[in-house]
Amino acid sequence: METLLAITSIMFFPAGLSLIFSGMLYEWADRKLVARFQNRVGPRWFQPLADTIKLLAKEEIQPLGVNQALFFGLPVVALSGALTAALYVPIFGIQPAYSFPGDLIVTLYLLSLLTMCMGLAGWNSASRFSIVGATRTLTQLFAYEAPFLLALLGPAMAADSWQIGKIVAYTESHWMIVLQPVGFVIALIGLMGKLELPPFDAPEAETEIVAGALTEYSGRGLALFHIGRSVEMVIGVSLVTAFYLGGLGNPLIFLAKSLGLLLVMAFLQSVLVRLRIDQTVGMWWRAGAILALLQILALIVLK
Amino acid sequence: MNTEARLQRAKDALAPFTRETFAPETNRLDVVIDAGDLTKATAAMLAADCGYLSAITGLDLGVEAGYMEALYHFCDAAAVTSLRVRLSREGQPEIDSVADQVPVASFYERELSEMLGVTVVGTPDPTHLFLPDDWPDGVFPNRRDFKIEDAAPVERDVPKIPEQGRMGNKFIVPIGPQHPALKEPGHFEFAVDGEIITGARMRLGYVHRGIEKATEQRNWIQNLYLLERICGICSHTHTSAYAMGVEKLAQVEVSPRALAIRELIAGMERIHSHLLWLGVVAHEAGFDTLFMYSWRDRETIMNLLEEITGNRVNYSISVLGGVKQDIGPAESKSIHKAMDYLEERIRYYLDIVSTDAMFLQRTRGIGTMTRDEAILYGALGPTARASGLVRDVRLDSPYGAYKHFPISIVTDERGDLEAKFAVRLKELLVTCFTIRTLVDNLPAGDLTVRFPRKVPAGETVSRVEAPRGEAFYFIKSEGGESPTRIKIRTPSLCNWTSVLNKAVGHQLADMPMMISGMDPCFSCNDRMVTVRRKNGSQTMSWFDLRAYGIEKYKSR
């Protein structure tokens, strides 16, 4: 029975299919909102699903000179990392499936797995655009990862626990966006960096390096990376909402809150110009990391 | 200083080298010099400040005449001084390079050598500029005895393109011919050290259509429609320049009303071109919102052009001897309405590009070109004006209705991308104002006058300010129903030197914006000669293409 439950939770709920579909819905919401901000019509609601089906059905071209195992393995690892992370995160305002002390750190590292896999995939692709893209992806990872982690540690320190379940229980009565506004901003912008959304889309700046690390990917591999990315979006948005916007509460209200967060992200994506990679790194280390550290310091002092 | 004084200055400067002089038109001076004196004469022209080298025309006088000529056109405001160098038709004539004095001349010299079969001694890069790499040796399209049958492609290794900057054992990022950053095919190679560019090189000529050569087989009227198709953005520029030149040759006086309508359409074309540019550069910067907004507003002007001329791209409003469509009360009302909207939007965009902090991070101090560099590289149009160099044919040599409806020039001293935005957007406001003035004060007159079928023999130079800078036309007639030679030099070609020279030291991420910043137009650039591939035919029907694709796929 235990095993069956575990399989169900990985295959269907909360990870697995339900997460993939909600990832597509989030992706659609994001694309639609950005399109509306940009004075476009935007895609229909099933467009991400149609894209995925199309990609899965397409031929996968393997470039010459790549390590085959890595080329086909990395997308799978990336997606499974993102799906596993979902087990510890309260998606849709429902208590996480599994929980243990310190699962916050595990979740964050599982989320980074996707970015690492993309970097490796780009490096493995033996294409010039991919290599430049991979370098940028990994450079950017080192830029936003520390501030993002620190921003999520703020609520954890306030709740005196590194267990997502406990932190969420604490934030339910404490709106962290009010108590730690700096942390919220850094978490939100860090999430955009993690998802490589504009203005942090230098790793896949199409006008310079085509599609960055994923230039050589097509068909199934590309689809898996895309799914992984939208799953990460669901997890990231849920995590930030649960930590900073008043915990879980009612699932419907939680959904509304995370959609509100998505709206803010779409707005930022529309109004900001892409940063060069040196500007991204400079911004995170000169402003992001220092602000996050100052907030942690303030928390320690005030406690 | 008036035009006569300028011509006199050039005449004095060239006196030591002059073999023969004649003045084909009031604003022109042709000086015949020996091939050996070319570099000295060029130096004398530059030293006496007699303008910039605007184009080199290769002219074959025919087998009977027994010689060819290379014409070096120097433009100094309205005055055009042409150095005519006589070259033998026998064997491979030689001429000295002036590229060390005028860097942009290396492009002209490459074109001259591949089209006319002149060896340019000492030119930095002797490879093909426009012609394909598999073009046969010893076949020169601009010679009068050129036959298309001779131009069958030959097998050969692609020659290495000489580099600018350090290229050696480096990581090279290729951009193009097919790349998301490029809307038209061109090929760039950037050697990068991390993200910093250490070398840049370029290959043009992917969109040859052989238009210059094709004009020689068509009559004067057909050519108007052929030349309009050089560029999809500044089509009216080309018809204006051509019509103006041919009308001068035929001594046909066009009515003021027709000239004013031509200027009106040119203004609208400038608005459409600059708004398109704004969107493209914003997209290169990853600012798609501005891209979408500016292209939405561009629709206003496109609809207006469609309402007036019936077409959105090749407006076909000019005919030889006038214009086709009139501006009535209904049209002027919609023009005013469109201008109201556009002026408001352009002010808004100007505000964004000059105040948005994130945007300024990507434009301020990027690709800065000083005024001296702009002169050295031979920059034209808004690219030059953004560096404080006033080069605008509308001001220097007012043509058509610009004599009566002058424009004010916008310049900026800063020379970076930010300045290019400011110059182009302010120019739009000026253009909107000019359009309003024109519509309110259209002179009376007929739309067209009678135009002869044959144009009297003669040569003329016709210069028009395109949205990107000066377009140069040299038209030669021998009194027949079709031209003997039409030489076209479009502004994009002149601006390349500045971008390539400025690339080194910048970041890879800045390159798409810098390339787009000069508003390149590959179609204008490349237009020289028919390319024939191995299977002999260059046209493929849709079914052939499909069958070819399937076959290619199966045979992998």
Side-chain angles (χ1 to χ4, degrees):
Chain A
M1 195 59 202
E2 185 91 338
T3 335
L4 201 68
L5 214 71
I7 289 175
T8 320
S9 58
I10 286 207
M11 292 292 287
F12 302 105
F13 190 85
L17 280 180
S18 75
L19 193 58
I20 290 173
F21 283 118
S22 52
M24 287 173 186
L25 276 182
Y26 270 58
E27 191 195 326
W28 169 76
D30 181 59
R31 280 171 63 178
K32 183 81 180 171
L33 286 170
V34 171
R36 294 310 296 152
F37 278 127
Q38 291 185 346
N39 196 49
R40 289 186 285 126
V41 176
R44 288 165 294 181
W45 67 271
F46 55 86
Q47 192 62 50
L49 178 66
D51 286 350
T52 310
I53 292 174
K54 182 199 77 174
L55 278 179
L56 287 174
K58 281 213 164 177
E59 182 193 9
E60 198 173 7
I61 299 162
Q62 185 196 346
L64 289 174
V66 300
N67 182 321
Q68 195 170 357
L70 274 179
F71 189 79
F72 293 112
L74 282 169
V76 180
V77 177
L79 179 60
S80 46
L83 288 179
T84 317
L87 295 177
Y88 306 102
V89 179
I91 312 279
F92 304 127
I94 296 162
Q95 282 296 338
Y98 294 90
S99 189
F100 60 88
D103 55 5
L104 174 62
I105 303 296
V106 173
T107 310
L108 287 175
Y109 277 94
L110 281 173
L111 285 182
S112 299
L113 197 62
L114 178 82
T115 318
M116 302 282 275
C117 284
M118 273 174 43
L120 271 177
W123 195 257
N124 184 38
S125 292
S127 145
R128 302 185 228 204
F129 301 122
S130 306
I131 291 174
V132 178
T135 320
R136 288 187 183 179
T137 301
L138 295 177
T139 315
Q140 187 158 309
L141 174 76
F142 290 115
Y144 65 72
E145 195 68 6
F148 184 63
L149 186 69
L150 289 175
L152 291 186
L153 279 189
M157 286 173 68
D160 248 338
S161 166
W162 282 16
Q163 191 168 359
I164 293 177
K166 284 190 181 155
I167 302 168
V168 169
Y170 173 81
T171 54
E172 213 148 327
S173 50
H174 302 78
W175 277 62
M176 283 295 157
I177 185 171
V178 184
L179 298 172
Q180 302 179 8
V182 178
F184 172 70
V185 172
I186 293 174
L188 181 68
I189 297 178
L191 184 61
M192 291 176 72
K194 221 173 173 44
L195 298 170
E196 296 185 357
L197 297 174
F200 304 110
D201 56 345
E204 48 183 89
E206 57 162 25
T207 49
E208 300 150 36
I209 48 172
V210 189
L214 300 186
T215 304
E216 295 298 329
Y217 271 87
S218 53
R220 195 180 54 96
L222 187 63
L224 292 184
F225 272 124
H226 276 185
I227 298 171
R229 177 81 60 81
S230 30
V231 166
E232 197 177 82
M233 183 184 249
V234 179
I235 297 172
V237 169
S238 304
L239 209 56
V240 176
T241 312
F243 273 32
Y244 280 96
L245 297 176
L248 298 184
N250 184 325
L252 269 179
I253 295 176
F254 184 85
L255 193 69
K257 283 180 199 164
S258 42
L259 282 177
L261 200 65
L262 209 60
L263 186 76
V264 175
M265 279 165 64
F267 176 72
L268 289 175
Q269 281 177 58
S270 323
V271 298
L272 296 177
V273 184
R274 180 192 301 136
L275 290 166
R276 288 198 312 252
I277 194 73
D278 61 317
Q279 291 169 338
T280 308
V281 174
M283 192 196 91
W284 279 115
W285 283 111
R286 276 186 216 127
I290 291 173
L291 282 175
L293 273 176
L294 282 178
Q295 171 157 309
I296 297 274
L297 212 66
L299 276 177
I300 294 170
V301 172
L302 290 177
K303 232 179 164 173
Chain B
M1 195 185 246
N2 61 13
T3 308
E4 287 82 52
R6 286 174 196 276
L7 288 176
Q8 189 58 45
R9 185 169 63 177
K11 202 171 186 172
D12 296 341
L14 289 172
F17 317 105
T18 307
R19 289 273 161 276
E20 204 181 323
T21 59
F22 39 98
E25 283 167 302
T26 48
N27 66 331
R28 282 178 57 208
L29 172 75
D30 280 13
V31 178
V32 180
I33 60 167
D34 286 339
D37 287 336
L38 179 66
T39 46
K40 279 178 269 170
T42 308
M45 285 293 278
L46 294 178
D49 198 19
C50 295
Y52 58 97
L53 181 60
S54 182
I56 301 178
T57 305
L59 197 59
D60 185 0
L61 276 299
V63 185
E64 298 84 47
Y67 64 95
M68 306 186 293
E69 275 184 332
L71 276 66
Y72 287 67
H73 306 282
F74 286 83
C75 293
D76 180 17
V80 181
T81 312
S82 307
L83 305 181
R84 302 183 83 112
V85 183
R86 297 228 161 120
L87 300 160
S88 152
R89 287 193 94 256
E90 301 304 316
Q92 188 89 354
E94 289 189 354
I95 197 166
D96 288 328
S97 168
V98 294
D100 50 341
Q101 300 175 56
V102 189
V104 71
S106 86
F107 287 125
Y108 308 155
E109 285 170 352
R110 282 163 77 182
E111 189 181 346
L112 180 74
S113 87
E114 68 184 352
M115 296 298 173
L116 198 65
V118 178
T119 309
V120 184
V121 181
T123 193
D125 179 3
T127 55
H128 283 305
L129 176 66
F130 292 136
L131 292 183
D133 292 325
D134 53 4
W135 188 264
D137 288 328
V139 178
F140 306 111
N142 272 350
R143 297 244 180 142
R144 296 284 275 274
D145 48 5
F146 167 78
K147 283 194 254 347
I148 190 71
E149 293 75 35
D150 299 337
V154 291
E155 295 271 347
R156 74 161 69 101
D157 293 336
V158 178
K160 289 258 185 300
I161 316 168
E163 58 210 43
Q164 304 204 344
R166 194 156 51 99
M167 209 86 169
N169 203 3
K170 282 288 171 186
F171 189 86
I172 291 169
V173 179
I175 294 190
Q178 267 75 40
H179 189 280
L182 300 172
K183 276 58 191 169
E184 294 170 273
H187 179 71
F188 302 88
E189 284 182 358
F190 294 111
V192 291
D193 186 1
E195 292 275 330
I196 309 289
I197 290 175
T198 56
R201 56 194 187 188
M202 136 180 121
R203 174 79 168 95
L204 294 174
Y206 292 91
V207 266
H208 278 194
R209 289 152 292 161
I211 287 183
E212 276 185 26
K213 190 74 193 165
T215 55
E216 294 165 20
Q217 280 115 44
R218 283 160 179 77
N219 67 31
W220 293 102
I221 303 211
Q222 286 171 325
N223 279 334
L224 188 70
Y225 301 98
L226 177 68
L227 292 171
E228 182 158 43
R229 275 146 187 84
I230 284 178
C231 182
I233 300 170
C234 41
S235 59
H236 182 68
T237 303
H238 291 280
T239 51
S240 302
Y242 173 73
M244 223 170 73
V246 179
E247 282 154 9
K248 253 194 287 183
L249 278 179
Q251 288 160 350
V252 168
E253 194 73 36
V254 180
S255 81
R257 189 179 183 86
L259 290 177
I261 291 175
R262 277 188 194 164
E263 181 178 337
L264 186 75
I265 299 293
M268 290 186 192
E269 185 179 74
R270 182 162 280 106
I271 296 180
H272 132 59
S273 173
H274 282 3
L275 282 178
L276 179 133
W277 171 86
L278 177 68
V280 169
V281 186
H283 172 66
E284 308 286 8
F287 195 11
D288 282 355
T289 312
L290 182 57
F291 168 41
M292 298 294 165
Y293 272 70
S294 60
W295 279 41
R296 177 196 67 187
D297 296 335
R298 179 175 158 264
E299 279 305 296
T300 317
I301 203 79
M302 300 300 279
N303 291 337
L304 197 59
L305 281 165
E306 189 180 358
E307 188 186 326
I308 294 170
T309 68
N311 297 307
R312 286 165 67 89
V313 178
N314 297 123
Y315 325 115
S316 290
I317 190 149
S318 293
V319 288
L320 295 178
V323 292
K324 263 187 211 162
Q325 272 94 7
D326 200 5
I327 307 284
E331 282 86 10
S332 50
K333 203 172 148 219
S334 30
I335 289 175
H336 274 297
K337 207 168 136 227
M339 290 305 129
D340 287 340
Y341 175 73
L342 282 172
E343 274 172 357
E344 184 204 324
R345 297 302 303 173
I346 292 162
R347 286 211 177 85
Y348 176 62
Y349 296 138
L350 188 60
D351 185 44
I352 289 178
V353 299
S354 47
T355 55
D356 187 286
M358 293 277 277
F359 198 68
L360 286 178
Q361 274 196 350
R362 297 296 308 276
T363 58
R364 187 165 282 174
I366 303 293
T368 310
M369 178 165 67
T370 62
R371 188 171 182 275
D372 291 339
E373 283 171 328
I375 294 173
L376 179 70
Y377 298 144
L380 290 176
T383 312
R385 296 197 283 274
S387 296
L389 173 63
V390 181
R391 263 186 199 167
D392 192 321
V393 190
R394 295 172 294 171
L395 182 80
D396 294 340
S397 165
Y399 54 91
Y402 285 103
K403 288 171 201 142
H404 310 294
F405 298 94
I407 46 116
S408 44
I409 296 288
V410 183
T411 55
D412 201 305
E413 301 298 320
R414 290 168 293 179
D416 54 1
L417 273 173
E418 190 193 349
K420 293 192 173 87
F421 275 98
V423 163
R424 284 205 171 84
L425 286 173
K426 285 178 189 161
E427 220 171 271
L428 284 184
L429 291 175
V430 172
T431 310
C432 286
F433 177 78
T434 319
I435 288 178
R436 281 178 193 277
T437 321
L438 274 163
V439 171
D440 290 341
N441 303 294
L442 269 185
D446 292 334
L447 286 187
T448 49
V449 291
R450 231 184 115 69
F451 198 82
R453 199 161 52 87
K454 289 184 177 176
V455 173
E459 292 172 2
T460 191
V461 166
S462 166
R463 294 155 68 211
V464 161
E465 184 73 12
R468 289 162 185 73
E470 175 203 41
F472 182 99
Y473 268 62
F474 173 87
I475 304 168
K476 182 180 165 77
S477 165
E478 284 179 351
E481 281 183 36
S482 47
T484 309
R485 172 93 171 93
I486 294 182
K487 157 77 195 165
I488 306 155
R489 200 269 301 127
T490 51
S492 299
L493 192 61
C494 301
N495 288 334
W496 279 122
T497 328
S498 65
V499 171
L500 287 185
N501 279 292
K502 284 279 139 196
V504 175
H506 276 93
Q507 299 220 8
L508 180 64
D510 291 327
M511 274 333 287
M513 282 186 89
M514 277 177 67
I515 294 178
S516 311
M518 61 157 262
D519 203 0
C521 182
F522 298 88
S523 296
C524 300
N525 255 334
D526 310 345
R527 61 183 177 262
M528 198 58 204
V529 127
T530 321
V531 180
R532 301 202 333 156
R533 288 280 158 235
K534 286 194 189 65
N535 54 13
S537 163
Q538 69 185 99
T539 46
M540 248 182 176
S541 73
W542 168 245
F543 293 102
D544 291 344
L545 187 67
R546 191 167 169 272
Y548 175 75
I550 292 170
E551 192 194 334
K552 175 130 187 165
Y553 184 81
K554 278 184 182 156
S555 66
R556 283 186 314 153

